[in-house]
Amino acid sequence: MATHNFSIEFFPPKTPEGAEKLRVTRARLSELQPKYFSVTFGAGGTTQQGTLDTVRDILAAGEEAAPHLSCVGGSRESIRAVLADFKAAGVSRIVALRGDLPSGYGASGEFRYANELVEFIRAETGDHFHIEVAAYPEVHPQARSPQDDLQAFARKVQAGADAAITQYFYNADAYFQFVEQTQKIGINVPIVAGIMPITNYTQLMRFSDMCGAEIPRWVRLKLASFGDDSASIKAFGLDVVTSLCERLLEGGAPGLHFYSMNQAAPTTALWQRLVK
């Protein structure tokens, strides 16, 4: 695993108690020696300050941090100011995203797509930042077609992205097929697999409906059959996701990006299985 690009994602806590809890979680997860921690960013800039505060905390602890930067509703001036804040804080890696459009929200702002944001970051800051972008092995829920989605991904890479992190998925074939398609059109950046530990059935269903991630029918039925038995859900989920990770790494995935949900235990349990 040491040769792979292994990273962990947090979301910015909303309260001082949450921030303290996240420090404890991060301290535990830093023992796994991830390459970096990423910190998500709310639509419309709602958690911009929270993202920066969390990133500063991580950097102060001697770890590498990659803030997410969403361009929805942003102007060139506002994004320029955020980039200056990131540089001043010592950030050298960014996850550049279009971001989710809030309901009833038109495509306002000066950036419509993530490739425009990547292009702007490069024009403003040269090679200062290592830029990661999003990839969708099971196709972006708003894409007109798989071909359109592949072209959208290609535009982000051509605009200057260094690497990509996928939306989470539970079907390894979808990932391998996507990587193969990108290579066929001459896109060869590392595409790191996004991994969501399974710990809570209803939460997983809700997230997956929102982001278009498919839960295989046999996994869904098995999880549903456990009812409120959270120990069984976690044990089964750990088996499913461990075998997914093993298959991805054996098949040549350059790394794994764990969606931690600000908890240490699920990612740690997976990691311990994978390094055995």
Side-chain angles (χ1 to χ4, degrees), residues 65-270:
H68 287 211
L69 178 55
S70 155
C71 64
V72 163
S75 65
R76 288 170 182 275
E77 248 347 281
S78 68
I79 300 290
R80 190 176 283 130
V82 173
L83 291 171
D85 283 344
F86 288 165
K87 267 181 116 166
V91 169
S92 60
R93 184 185 287 266
I94 287 178
V95 181
L97 308 162
R98 185 195 73 178
D100 298 326
L101 294 169
S103 54
Y105 190 97
S108 70
E110 293 181 52
F111 301 94
R112 287 177 58 208
Y113 303 108
N115 63 290
E116 295 170 0
L117 175 61
V118 173
E119 205 173 307
F120 182 73
I121 296 169
R122 284 284 175 244
E124 290 287 313
T125 64
D127 289 333
H128 179 82
F129 295 108
H130 181 285
I131 302 175
E132 313 265 353
V133 291
Y136 297 85
E138 295 178 319
V139 186
H140 191 287
Q142 290 163 347
R144 282 193 296 268
S145 70
Q147 290 73 19
D148 274 5
D149 197 36
L150 189 62
Q151 289 306 320
F153 178 69
R155 283 193 292 275
K156 293 190 279 193
V157 175
Q158 288 152 359
D162 296 294
I165 300 166
T166 75
Q167 174 60 269
Y168 72 85
F169 57 89
Y170 298 103
N171 180 347
D173 290 336
Y175 170 84
F176 291 125
Q177 164 82 353
F178 179 77
V179 171
E180 195 178 301
Q181 287 178 319
T182 63
Q183 290 169 348
K184 274 184 186 162
I185 60 167
I187 300 292
N188 288 303
V189 297
I191 299 174
V192 172
I195 303 296
M196 177 70 86
I198 297 175
T199 58
N200 178 309
Y201 174 61
T202 44
Q203 185 187 56
L204 182 69
M205 293 303 289
R206 193 174 73 246
F207 285 162
S208 302
D209 285 347
M210 281 188 327
C211 69
E214 191 179 307
I215 304 171
R217 184 171 180 271
W218 70 275
V219 173
R220 212 172 55 237
L221 292 175
K222 188 91 174 188
L223 287 168
S225 76
F226 293 128
D228 294 332
D229 179 357
S230 68
S232 294
I233 289 171
K234 285 174 183 170
F236 172 70
L238 183 57
D239 286 345
V240 167
V241 180
T242 299
S243 93
L244 170 69
C245 293
E246 286 170 345
R247 194 171 160 213
L248 290 167
L249 294 173
E250 282 161 15
L256 304 173
H257 181 79
F258 291 95
Y259 297 107
S260 76
M261 304 308 294
N262 289 14
Q263 295 175 356
T267 300
T268 302
L270 271 168

Side-chain angles (χ1 to χ4, degrees), residues 37-93:
F37 291 108
S38 76
V39 184
T40 64
F41 182 101
T46 48
T47 59
Q48 186 181 308
Q49 192 56 46
T51 301
L52 190 54
D53 290 345
T54 307
V55 160
R56 283 188 177 128
D57 253 13
I58 294 168
L59 293 167
E63 306 283 349
E64 190 173 352
H68 287 211
L69 178 55
S70 155
C71 64
V72 163
S75 65
R76 288 170 182 275
E77 248 347 281
S78 68
I79 300 290
R80 190 176 283 130
V82 173
L83 291 171
D85 283 344
F86 288 165
K87 267 181 116 166
V91 169
S92 60
R93 184 185 287 266

